[in-house]
Amino acid sequence: MEIGRIAPVATLSANRLDGRSRNSKKSSCPRLFASSLRSRSANFLSNESSKLKLFNSKLQTAVCRRTQLSTKCTSTSQESDEETFEYQAETDRLMDLIVNSLYSTKEIFLRELVSNASDALDKMRFESLTSGESAGNLEVKIKGDKEAGTLVIEDNGIGMSHDELVDALGTIARSGTAKYMETLKESGKEGDSNLIGQFGVGFYSSFLVAETVTVESRAASGGDVWQWQSAAGEHGYKVKKVQLEDLPRGTRITLKLKEEAAEFAEPQRLSGLVKTYSEFISFPISVWSEEQVPRQEVDAEATKAAKEAAAKKAEENPEEEPEEVKDVMKTVFDTVQEFKVQNDNKPLWVRPPREVKKEEYDAFYKATFKDFMDPAAYTHFNVEGDIEFQAILFTPAMAPFDQQEPNAKSRNIKLFVKRVFISDDFGEDLMPRYMSFIKGVVDSSDLPLNVSREILQEGRVVRVMRRRLVKKALDMMKDLAAVEDPAAYNAFYDAFGRNLKLGVIEDEANRAALGDLLRFSTSASGDSIASLKEYVGRMKEGQSGIYFLAAASKEAAEKSPFIEGLLKKGLEVVYLLEPIDEVALTNLKEYEGTTLLDVTKEDLELSEDEGEKEAQEQVTKELEPLTSWMAKILGDKVEKVVVSQRLGESPCMLATSKFGWSANMERIMRAQAMGDTKAYEYMKGRKIMEINPSSPIIKSLASKVSAPDAVAESQVQLMFDTAMLTSGFLIEDPAEFASRIFSMMSSTAESTTKSTEKKSDEKSDAVDPEVMSDDPWN
């Protein structure tokens, strides 16, 4: 087993290394460790600082507090009172900081030890290829003993000699794998060796769960079996030669588990951890397990009873032929203990994409992400160059049930390092928030096995990986949108369209690509949805932009006064029916060079010829007295009153200024439970009242401008209130609005009553004709 990735702090001595104690027999640490502690611990702190930023500050503090003046060196200064000293740290405290900063959960220890074993097997395989000798069946075996409270991890890999054992386990953060790779590089024999461990701390994660760790190893070159043993909290370790006939080659690690870690001796728990973290290791990993195996055997009592019943029946009916009685069988279960391979699945992403069939991708997706439906789309790719990684991304066929949960954390991206599962907790670092629905696996060769969130966030490798993953995910969705049958993409968009709109808001670099994926209902699309590209293809000659209207529903949008004139001109309008739509298109600003225009804003540009422009200017000039009078009556409720060029039948409407919220956005922001009142008042758009010159109401008011009365002024106020409603605003003073309505109804009722009474009086003043009989004399 490859243990060279590690170095125990909790088991290494931190004795003072001055001249008087350097040769002291009381030191519990071997001389080899004492001579290498100073240089290698310093080298660890400098070379691995980028990987240990999480605990670097803690480490420095602990070292400084524990520092002692130790070895007194010869002064190199001319002044006789100048002395030079070296630092010494308590190594158990140092290892405590390293292990507990790198590993947040105890179960990680098994992943680290299995990865070490995989490295040892990989080294053995490589050595056998170069030497031409067979390495046999390379494998890892794991066995837990609940009664004894022990856990054994054994491999038949390269093994270690006495010197290799001391060198690997007697130095802080000494990576035997890294040293092995350096040796291969120097000899020009790198080949295809794909070793995992490069850091040198993983072995010591075993002290998270073990009171005592025993390592027994025999090198592949032969020789004796050497045993290394240490306990948590001790300042030293022991190495001795032992006799083990059942270890012909490789390494065996025995952990005496702590009381609170007894669960790691359970076969089910071990199998689950292997499947979680090491399922795609290239060598078989077997776990000692118990299984109840059924078998059939003769039920003696039941068979005897059946034969007795048959004999009795034969005595009672001697004329009948006796029935043949067969043995009665029963099912019994035997407890079978054996090693069972846990990692049968092969890493699909390491195969060339052209060799993998769709059925294999579907099966892999269902098994890995526990989904019952095939993915809607997938992409499989390798990235080579300065940074290398392999990935498979999937688009689910349906949205998860918790998609709208704001605090839900995405665990859809599984991060592997050289086929070893690291975590599914880094999805937000590898993919942006709006792509949290994308599922996939990412396998990198450039990340350390002991990767942490801080390393991911600050590493250039992750930034490059993120850009590539986002690009490939966008390409995957673009390919799905290009399928001839639009039903597939429409189903995808129905499930994840909001995510794409969120991406338009948050991802400025990819807005253009996301714009191609958007779909909306339009005034010309009927019951289906259309892309912006389709809209641009249907634009009329001279059309100034893409017109859009935000509304609560499609029915409300179709009846909006803002689009009456546009529809008459045959212009298409995009309907924004979800709260996020308006924000998304406001951030998009344009599509393929065509500006996006909100029809609820002032000064909307419409395609007009010279005759229409002259007519509009003439009408505006004629109604200038009316617009000035109405603006005076409304006061600060509106910024101005203008003659509209886009109203059809409605007498008026309220547009908003270009740089404020629209009516739809005001409605949305009012509904926010934690909204900022000050920001709301600041962002409210100024209202511009547009009037329809062809409306009878406007013509009636225009005739009263020269001699206005209270009724005319009340009509203007009532027009404003109704325009607030039809334009999507909320009325500020509902009571006043109701008062005007009731007043108008009262006036109408009084007029009706007077008219009725007048008709009644006219009828009473009339003379009823006298009815004469046929005989005038009677």
Side-chain angles (χ1 to χ4, degrees):
M1 176 174 289
E2 161 55 19
I3 312 296
R5 305 174 52 251
I6 49 184
V9 172
T11 61
L12 303 181
S13 173
N15 296 307
R16 300 174 63 179
L17 304 178
D18 56 55
R20 292 167 295 178
S21 63
R22 183 173 299 173
N23 297 321
S24 174
K25 295 182 180 179
K26 296 180 180 181
S27 173
S28 60
C29 183
R31 184 180 302 175
L32 179 60
F33 167 70
S35 63
S36 62
L37 174 61
R38 297 189 301 274
S39 62
R40 287 172 176 163
S41 62
N43 183 59
F44 160 73
L45 293 175
S46 60
N47 293 342
E48 306 296 340
S49 60
S50 62
K51 302 173 183 176
L52 296 175
K53 287 184 178 180
L54 177 62
F55 64 88
N56 190 38
S57 59
K58 296 180 182 179
L59 178 60
Q60 292 174 353
T61 302
V63 171
C64 291
R65 288 179 177 176
R66 304 283 184 170
T67 298
Q68 301 177 7
L69 298 179
S70 56
T71 306
K72 187 173 182 180
C73 303
T74 304
S75 175
T76 60
S77 173
Q78 294 180 355
E79 298 180 10
S80 59
D81 59 347
E82 181 177 307
E83 299 175 328
T84 302
F85 297 89
E86 294 181 355
Y87 290 110
Q88 178 185 354
E90 289 189 7
T91 52
D92 57 344
R93 175 61 175 163
L94 182 63
M95 179 50 70
D96 178 69
L97 287 171
I98 292 175
V99 171
N100 288 286
S101 296
L102 285 177
Y103 306 108
S104 56
T105 56
K106 293 181 179 181
E107 64 186 32
I108 297 296
F109 84 95
L110 188 62
R111 181 195 74 184
E112 297 295 316
L113 296 181
V114 170
S115 299
N116 289 341
S118 175
D119 279 353
L121 296 174
D122 215 344
K123 291 178 184 178
M124 189 65 243
R125 179 187 63 83
F126 186 76
E127 292 293 335
S128 66
L129 291 175
T130 55
S131 64
E133 297 180 2
S134 175
N137 295 324
L138 300 175
E139 60 180 346
V140 180
K141 292 184 176 181
I142 303 173
K143 183 177 182 180
D145 189 332
K146 293 182 290 185
E147 296 182 359
T150 60
L151 175 63
V152 178
I153 300 97
E154 181 177 338
D155 70 79
N156 58 347
I158 196 72
M160 290 178 285
S161 64
H162 172 273
D163 294 341
E164 291 170 337
L165 191 65
V166 173
D167 187 47
L169 303 186
T171 307
I172 299 175
R174 177 60 180 270
S175 174
T177 297
K179 182 178 179 181
Y180 181 77
M181 295 293 287
E182 291 174 3
T183 304
L184 292 180
K185 188 174 182 180
E186 292 174 358
S187 62
K189 298 181 180 180
E190 287 186 89
D192 297 326
S193 184
N194 186 26
L195 300 179
I196 299 170
Q198 298 287 322
F199 188 26
V201 182
F203 168 76
Y204 291 93
S205 61
S206 58
F207 286 102
L208 291 170
V209 299
E211 294 178 348
T212 304
V213 179
T214 302
V215 180
E216 297 161 332
S217 187
R218 189 196 300 269
S221 57
D224 298 318
V225 176
W226 292 93
Q227 183 187 83
W228 179 100
Q229 189 176 69
S230 183
E234 290 188 357
H235 293 279
Y237 57 86
K238 302 174 183 178
V239 178
K240 65 178 181 180
K241 183 169 63 175
V242 294
Q243 297 295 327
L244 286 178
E245 299 299 331
D246 59 344
L247 187 64
R249 184 191 71 206
T251 302
R252 179 185 298 158
I253 298 179
T254 304
L255 307 181
K256 177 61 178 177
L257 297 173
K258 297 177 181 178
E259 184 176 349
E260 63 271 18
E263 61 177 300
F264 296 109
E266 297 282 348
Q268 296 83 358
R269 179 72 164 130
L270 295 172
S271 298
L273 291 177
V274 171
K275 288 183 177 294
T276 298
Y277 291 103
S278 306
E279 184 177 11
F280 300 107
I281 292 291
S282 56
F283 300 100
I285 304 172
S286 302
V287 175
W288 182 259
S289 59
E290 294 182 357
E291 186 178 9
Q292 299 295 320
V293 178
R295 63 177 177 84
Q296 296 291 317
E297 70 175 21
V298 176
D299 188 336
E301 295 182 0
T303 301
K304 181 180 178 182
K307 289 182 178 181
E308 291 177 352
K312 184 176 180 181
K313 184 178 179 181
E315 292 177 358
E316 295 175 353
N317 302 284
E319 67 281 359
E320 296 182 2
E321 186 179 350
E323 297 180 0
E324 182 181 357
V325 179
K326 297 181 179 180
D327 292 338
V328 179
M329 307 299 293
K330 65 178 180 180
T331 302
V332 296
F333 292 88
D334 296 330
T335 300
V336 177
Q337 295 181 328
E338 61 180 350
F339 283 103
K340 297 190 67 175
V341 176
Q342 304 297 320
N343 59 333
D344 293 328
N345 291 336
K346 301 302 178 184
L348 198 67
W349 60 87
V350 302
R351 296 167 56 186
R354 62 180 179 275
E355 297 180 2
V356 185
K357 299 180 180 179
K358 181 182 183 302
E359 292 75 14
E360 294 179 275
Y361 285 118
D362 293 343
F364 177 82
Y365 170 79
K366 292 177 181 178
T368 304
F369 299 101
K370 307 300 184 289
D371 201 341
F372 62 93
M373 297 180 66
D374 293 339
Y378 60 85
T379 180
H380 181 186
F381 58 95
N382 301 328
V383 175
E384 298 178 350
D386 294 339
I387 295 174
E388 297 182 359
F389 68 91
Q390 302 161 314
I392 305 179
L393 300 180
F394 297 93
T395 298
M398 63 177 294
F401 297 109
D402 61 346
Q403 182 178 7
Q404 303 305 322
E405 178 62 37
N407 297 321
K409 193 169 186 178
S410 172
R411 293 185 176 273
N412 290 334
I413 300 296
K414 298 182 180 295
L415 178 63
F416 290 77
V417 173
K418 297 181 180 178
R419 303 183 306 278
V420 177
F421 176 68
I422 301 302
S423 177
D424 57 3
D425 194 33
F426 297 143
E428 296 177 0
D429 299 292
L430 294 173
M431 296 291 276
R433 181 171 63 147
Y434 70 91
M435 285 190 177
S436 59
F437 66 92
I438 297 292
K439 299 181 179 182
V441 294
V442 179
D443 191 350
S444 172
S445 300
D446 296 305
L447 289 173
L449 194 63
N450 318 81
V451 66
S452 67
R453 182 171 297 279
E454 284 71 20
I455 295 175
L456 280 179
Q457 290 174 342
E458 299 180 17
R460 185 181 71 90
V461 175
V462 176
R463 290 194 294 271
V464 174
M465 290 173 62
R466 182 185 173 103
R467 287 197 299 269
R468 297 291 182 87
L469 290 172
V470 170
K471 183 180 183 303
K472 289 295 184 179
L474 290 173
D475 291 342
M476 173 176 61
M477 290 182 279
K478 187 176 179 180
D479 292 340
L480 180 61
V483 176
E484 293 183 2
D485 182 12
Y489 186 76
N490 290 347
F492 159 78
Y493 192 80
D494 184 59
F496 305 110
R498 295 182 185 89
N499 296 71
L500 301 181
K501 296 166 188 175
L502 178 63
V504 172
I505 299 171
E506 296 183 343
D507 192 352
E508 183 178 359
N510 293 298
R511 276 179 187 162
L514 289 165
D516 290 330
L517 301 173
L518 299 181
R519 300 290 186 272
F520 301 98
S521 293
T522 74
S523 58
S525 66
D527 296 332
S528 61
I529 54 178
S531 65
L532 295 178
K533 182 179 287 294
E534 291 173 330
Y535 181 101
V536 171
R538 295 193 291 258
M539 285 176 59
K540 291 185 174 296
E541 185 177 355
Q543 184 173 335
S544 55
I546 300 174
Y547 300 112
F548 69 85
L549 170 67
S553 66
K554 187 174 182 180
E555 291 74 17
E558 291 173 338
K559 297 177 181 179
S560 173
F562 291 104
I563 65 172
E564 291 175 353
L566 279 74
L567 296 182
K568 278 188 176 182
K569 291 178 178 290
L571 299 174
E572 186 176 2
V573 181
V574 176
Y575 297 148
L576 309 184
L577 307 179
E578 295 184 342
I580 195 175
D581 288 355
E582 184 176 356
V583 184
L585 288 199
T586 302
N587 280 272
L588 186 59
K589 296 180 182 178
E590 66 176 25
Y591 177 76
E592 293 186 351
T594 305
T595 306
L596 293 160
L597 301 175
D598 186 349
V599 299
T600 67
K601 297 294 183 178
E602 63 175 329
D603 299 332
L604 182 67
E605 299 178 6
L606 298 177
S607 55
E608 295 179 318
D609 55 30
E610 292 299 326
E612 290 175 333
K613 289 182 179 179
E614 291 178 2
Q616 179 69 21
E617 291 175 359
Q618 181 65 27
V619 173
T620 301
K621 186 176 181 180
E622 292 176 357
L623 294 179
E624 185 175 355
L626 175 62
T627 56
S628 299
W629 174 66
M630 293 179 67
K632 182 178 179 181
I633 293 175
L634 296 174
D636 59 0
K637 291 182 178 180
V638 296
E639 182 183 359
K640 58 183 176 180
V641 179
V642 298
V643 178
S644 178
Q645 59 177 337
R646 48 180 161 169
L647 284 171
E649 299 178 357
S650 301
C652 61
M653 69 179 190
L654 291 175
T656 52
S657 55
K658 290 184 177 180
F659 303 105
W661 284 339
S662 66
N664 180 70
M665 189 55 61
E666 279 193 29
R667 177 176 56 84
I668 293 173
M669 297 310 294
R670 278 177 179 267
Q672 302 302 309
M674 304 299 291
D676 187 346
T677 306
K678 294 182 180 179
Y680 172 79
E681 293 297 329
Y682 176 76
M683 292 300 297
K684 282 174 60 177
R686 301 187 308 275
K687 298 178 180 64
I688 295 90
M689 190 173 191
E690 295 189 11
I691 59 175
N692 184 359
S694 62
S695 170
I697 298 176
I698 299 302
K699 291 179 179 180
S700 175
L701 286 175
S703 66
K704 298 178 182 179
V705 173
S706 58
D709 55 14
V711 175
E713 292 181 2
S714 179
Q715 286 179 341
V716 172
Q717 295 287 358
L718 188 58
M719 284 178 59
F720 174 80
D721 289 340
T722 54
M724 287 277 286
L725 291 175
T726 58
S727 300
F729 293 97
L730 296 178
I731 296 179
E732 300 291 343
D733 193 345
E736 185 178 355
F737 172 68
S739 177
R740 290 195 184 96
I741 294 293
F742 293 147
S743 178
M744 181 186 68
M745 293 173 65
S746 298
S747 300
T748 303
E750 289 177 1
S751 299
T752 303
T753 302
K754 289 179 180 180
S755 177
T756 303
E757 290 176 352
K758 184 177 180 181
K759 290 180 180 180
S760 178
D761 291 342
E762 291 176 353
K763 185 176 180 180
S764 62
D765 292 341
V767 177
D768 295 333
E770 183 180 355
V771 179
M772 302 296 291
S773 64
D774 294 339
D775 186 359
W777 303 107
N778 292 331

